[in-house]
Amino acid sequence: MKLLSLSLVLLALVLAGCKTENAAPRAVFNVRDLGAVGDGTTKDTVAFQKAFDACAASGGGEVLVPSGHYLIGSVQMGAHTTLQLQEGSVIIGSADMEDYPMIPIRWEGREEPGHRGLIYATNADDVAIIGPGRIEGNSKVAAPQNPRGAVVVEFDECRDVRWKDFSITQGGNWATHPVYCSDVVIDHLTITGRRDGIDVDSCKNVLIENCDINTSDDSISIKSGRGARAVAIGRPTEDVIITNCTLVDHRYACVGIGSETSGGVRNVRITHCRCAAHSDAIYIKTRIGRGGAIENISGDDLDVLGGGFLRVNLVSSGNLNTVDDPVAGLAGYPIGRNFSFTNVRLAKATLLAEVSKIAPERPLDGLTLSHITGTCDKGISLANITSANLSDIHVTGYHGALLTQTNVQGAGLELQ
């Protein structure tokens, strides 16, 4: 079973070598020189936007934020721009909704009007936010769903994106949302809040590493749009590596793949991570009518320190907060292909794997569970799977049978 494409093998090497600075000195635009006060009370939105505009007009450079507390509304970065958050710098989102303009956005897999993110970029190449400062979203502008409130950091249609060495306190909406982006490096971020930490949405070539995420919704969520329109757009999320991260989730999953997967999700590799979830470390989820293929999803060297390990639901999971435009007939049945998880250590997990909500009309083609040890309350339940492969599973503490199965074909299915 070939789970890892050549492009994914090369991804870490290519992205890890992304430039952190140009060979020639870059212009520097200090927000204080352009009028920012940094007292946490005076709105510094205009000064920040002046700095970004001047930077873009000069062909790119660095917008420097010295130590201080800067209260701002939504601002937009341009191409070839690095937002440099120095030690002691804190960007604080305004509580006034009028400070976040309405623009076309993608929200929960749908294209619709919504409020612009606090730090926003669109159609910009070579854009970066570098710490060690902090960005704080505001709960008063985050909560609305229709139209969507403001997320903290949102980059749309950008290439060569780098977020590194800063922290985000998100205020009740998604913390970060790269959508339609490529060549993305997210490194050493610390994210805390009540909603998703990182939402990777129809992006390609993404490296998430060394992050510490503690949220009350999915720590990392991988999406590609919802319904017939997303199928027609046809922009998958593909070639993603998540590695050396600590993920804590108090409501759903550490890594949620879906529920918006209509554009397809492929070549996702999760390695060397520590996961503690309210529900599951990894939850692959969608529903009939969404269509799309979820394929080549793999994990290796994972510690599950709370909640369950793996749950797959390809028939009935995912929100219905906005109107669906379902894909009719068999084409609307999501495709699952080549899921593989090895070297997993469970510490009093609630379950090992529940991979049973699969439509018999579209069986999951390829599931590998191998080298799994530790303790769990429940074992493995499987249904409607071809090419299953179970091996070297040595767990204790479970109640009932270690394996229950319905309409499953493959090897290693004699577990008791």
Side-chain angles (χ1 to χ4, degrees), residues 187-255:
D187 182 16
H188 280 98
L189 260 58
T190 299
I191 300 174
T192 57
R194 299 191 303 275
R195 294 291 300 274
D196 293 357
I198 302 172
D199 285 83
V200 181
D201 196 347
S202 289
C203 296
K204 62 181 179 180
N205 297 337
V206 179
L207 174 62
I208 301 172
E209 62 178 346
N210 306 313
C211 291
D212 190 336
I213 305 176
N214 190 319
T215 61
S216 294
D217 210 326
D218 295 342
S219 299
I220 298 172
S221 187
I222 297 174
K223 305 174 179 292
S224 63
R226 184 169 113 189
R229 183 174 182 184
V231 171
I233 292 172
R235 296 185 67 171
T237 286
E238 57 186 336
D239 297 333
V240 178
I241 292 176
I242 300 168
T243 187
N244 292 311
C245 293
T246 298
L247 308 174
V248 178
D249 187 88
H250 299 279
R251 188 178 179 189
Y252 289 119
C254 292
V255 179

Side-chain angles (χ1 to χ4, degrees), residues 262-344:
S262 299
V265 174
R266 57 179 176 248
N267 304 335
V268 177
R269 178 80 166 160
I270 306 160
T271 67
H272 316 307
C273 290
R274 294 166 58 86
C275 302
H278 176 77
S279 61
D280 304 286
I282 299 171
Y283 188 5
I284 302 171
K285 51 186 176 177
T286 185
R287 62 173 57 243
I288 293 172
R290 298 263 162 102
I294 307 170
E295 54 190 337
N296 301 339
I297 311 298
S298 65
D300 181 70
D301 189 20
L302 305 176
D303 286 291
V304 179
L305 307 175
F309 167 50
L310 174 66
R311 190 181 304 271
V312 178
N313 183 342
L314 304 185
V315 298
S316 59
S317 186
N319 70 73
L320 295 169
N321 291 334
T322 56
V323 177
D324 259 343
D325 57 337
V327 179
L330 189 59
Y333 283 63
I335 296 170
R337 185 183 298 122
N338 295 346
F339 299 169
S340 177
F341 300 95
T342 60
N343 298 310
V344 180

Side-chain angles (χ1 to χ4, degrees), residues 11 17 26 60 68 72 89 130 141 150 198 267 310 337 355 405:
L11 174 62
R26 305 186 81 185
I72 66 170
S89 65
I130 307 297
V141 299
I198 302 172
N267 304 335
L310 174 66
R337 185 183 298 122
V355 190
Q405 55 183 303

